[in-house]
Amino acid sequence: MMEEGFQSPKKRGKIAVFLSGRGSNFMTIHDAIQEGKINAEISLVFSNKEEAPGLNIARERNLETLFLNPKLYSSREEYDKDITREVKKRDVDLICLAGYMKILTPYFCDNFKHCIMNIHPALLPSFPGLHVQKKALDWGVKYSGATVHFVTADVDMGPIIIQAVVPIFQDDTEDTLSERILKEEHKIYPEAVRLFFEGKVEVRGKRVYIRE
Ligand code: GAR
């Protein structure tokens, strides 16, 4: 459960990005930083996948990267303990999950309360989990979208920071819908991170207030 009364810090922040794949959300956050829209720097790009294209992009952008091989650990918690150490070493203020497809343990989530954000390609709390664009189509819902939320041990159920809505059309496929949602992801994720480091994000219980 989130504690009452969290207020995000107004400061030049340090971010760790966690990713497992292509890294387009990571790029939009990094681009927004480069353009001076977010008052932060990326101190680490971490992955559980050695071949994640996003890791290569981070290297090309001269950012520090780290891969830890989950197969070398006896449990998920042991793995997350090592990541925790690496993140704490770098004095990170915010962890941005950007297509990080490994569920974080309660150990990890409890260590970084109010300090982990995630982007999810659906309107939570509808359609948590995986393949959610297909699930939205299969259900026949008329609208879907994207959600930026704080991460708690309860997967995809943390306090919601920003959502964007997209319509679903009759001729949509999983690909066309994913593309429409991704465009919105690229708007709302950098926006949520910007607001966080401007000290404008307040959490009370399950509710997030943006204090502009
Ligand atoms: C994004 O669509 C993101 O919302 C989704 O993975 C994709 C990563 O794309 N995340 C989840 O489904 C998390 N449950 P990217 O690597 O290009 O940012």
Side-chain angles (χ1 to χ4, degrees):
M1 248 332 238
M2 303 294 281
E3 279 164 22
E4 293 286 312
F6 167 78
Q7 178 78 48
S8 69
K10 183 173 179 176
K11 64 184 290 197
R12 179 160 176 82
K14 290 187 179 177
I15 296 173
V17 176
F18 285 20
L19 53 77
S20 306
R22 86 196 138 178
S24 73
N25 277 290
F26 146 60
M27 280 192 280
T28 58
I29 292 169
H30 189 236
D31 289 347
I33 290 172
Q34 304 278 67
E35 289 160 17
K37 292 178 186 158
I38 297 174
N39 189 21
E41 62 188 80
I42 294 179
S43 304
L44 179 67
V45 179
F46 170 75
S47 187
N48 62 325
K49 297 275 180 198
E50 196 167 18
E51 306 302 328
L55 268 190
N56 279 329
I57 296 164
R59 285 186 202 109
E60 283 163 14
R61 293 179 174 217
N62 292 318
L63 296 169
E64 189 185 353
T65 60
L66 176 69
F67 157 70
L68 293 177
N69 187 347
K71 289 183 188 143
L72 302 179
Y73 291 80
S74 56
S75 69
R76 288 173 52 227
E77 187 159 306
E78 288 305 312
Y79 185 70
D80 278 5
K81 276 185 183 162
D82 259 9
I83 312 174
T84 302
R85 264 192 291 275
E86 294 292 341
V87 171
K88 288 201 168 165
K89 241 193 258 174
R90 290 163 180 87
D91 213 9
V92 159
D93 303 290
L94 181 67
I95 297 163
C96 291
L97 307 185
Y100 185 65
M101 304 312 257
K102 192 170 188 333
I103 291 175
L104 292 164
T105 53
Y107 170 86
F108 189 89
C109 298
D110 291 347
N111 257 284
F112 298 102
K113 256 187 197 149
H114 310 120
C115 298
I116 316 171
M117 278 187 197
N118 182 42
I119 181 91
H120 183 80
L123 293 175
L124 292 172
S126 290
F127 306 118
L130 296 174
H131 311 296
V132 296
Q133 297 93 336
K134 180 171 186 309
K135 284 179 192 160
L137 288 173
D138 289 348
W139 263 96
V141 294
K142 304 302 179 197
Y143 294 91
S144 188
T147 303
V148 182
H149 64 97
F150 283 111
V151 171
T152 58
D154 205 2
V155 179
D156 290 334
M157 291 297 144
I160 291 168
I161 306 165
I162 306 183
Q163 291 186 304
V165 179
V166 305
I168 294 182
F169 302 123
Q170 302 205 48
D171 58 353
D172 264 333
T173 62
E174 197 179 340
D175 283 348
T176 58
L177 178 59
S178 300
E179 196 181 321
R180 192 173 309 121
I181 292 172
L182 192 65
K183 277 193 189 137
E184 297 304 316
E185 295 183 34
H186 292 166
K187 291 180 201 159
I188 64 173
Y189 209 178
E191 177 65 1
V193 178
R194 175 185 77 79
L195 291 165
F196 186 88
F197 287 116
E198 286 181 3
K200 291 176 176 166
V201 178
E202 190 180 324
V203 186
R204 282 202 257 143
K206 285 290 278 181
R207 292 185 74 177
V208 175
Y209 300 84
I210 306 296
R211 306 296 189 195
E212 283 283 12

